[in-house]
Amino acid sequence: MNIAPMGIRARAFDGWAEDYERFRPGYPRELFDHIASAFDLPELPAAVDLGAGTGKVSRAAAAMGWRVTAVEPGPRMIEVLRRMAATEGFEIEAIEATAEDTGLEDARFDVATAGEAWHWF
């Protein structure tokens, strides 16, 4: 079996970032209300969104007032994420990295999310 290195697989959707943004569904506010109450988060939690893609989860969390850092290995996905966040008026820190090796300091966040990317890591 020939398995591509993780770096290549992690960027598998990069070539379709615009379509990914256009056709993937978003996430309802109720989901984030539930997360906040279930985990007793502070009013304005710091959140890290792993495998952020074009930022569907990141932007929904930012709409709640959360301070979001998006982690995504695909540079094209990050471009779309940043553009969409700016268009929607959100300040989201976006870094190019994998969920396994974010380079972020320990204990910096109140919550970690992983939308539909969890199976990649």
Side-chain angles (χ1 to χ4, degrees):
M1 177 185 298
N2 185 9
I3 299 176
M6 180 54 88
I8 294 169
R9 287 194 331 241
R11 293 186 302 273
F13 291 101
D14 233 27
W16 298 284
E18 295 293 338
D19 288 339
Y20 189 92
E21 171 58 30
R22 185 176 323 130
F23 298 115
R24 293 286 286 207
Y27 296 87
R29 179 181 177 99
E30 294 80 11
L31 172 64
F32 298 90
D33 288 336
H34 177 75
I35 292 169
S37 65
F39 294 100
D40 195 30
L41 297 178
E43 186 176 338
L44 300 175
V48 60
D49 183 22
L50 303 169
T54 61
K56 298 280 186 170
V57 169
S58 297
R59 296 185 337 252
M64 298 282 297
W66 297 8
R67 295 164 291 141
V68 179
T69 298
V71 176
E72 167 58 41
R76 184 68 184 113
M77 292 290 222
I78 290 176
E79 286 177 28
V80 174
L81 183 156
R82 288 180 175 146
R83 185 184 75 236
M84 296 302 298
T87 298
E88 295 172 11
F90 300 127
E91 290 186 30
I92 296 173
E93 177 184 9
I95 62 169
E96 186 177 333
T98 63
E100 299 86 356
D101 188 16
T102 66
L104 298 170
E105 64 187 72
D106 291 344
R108 177 177 160 193
F109 300 96
D110 300 304
V111 64
T113 60
E116 294 199 34
W118 62 269
H119 64 280
W120 286 97
F121 40 89

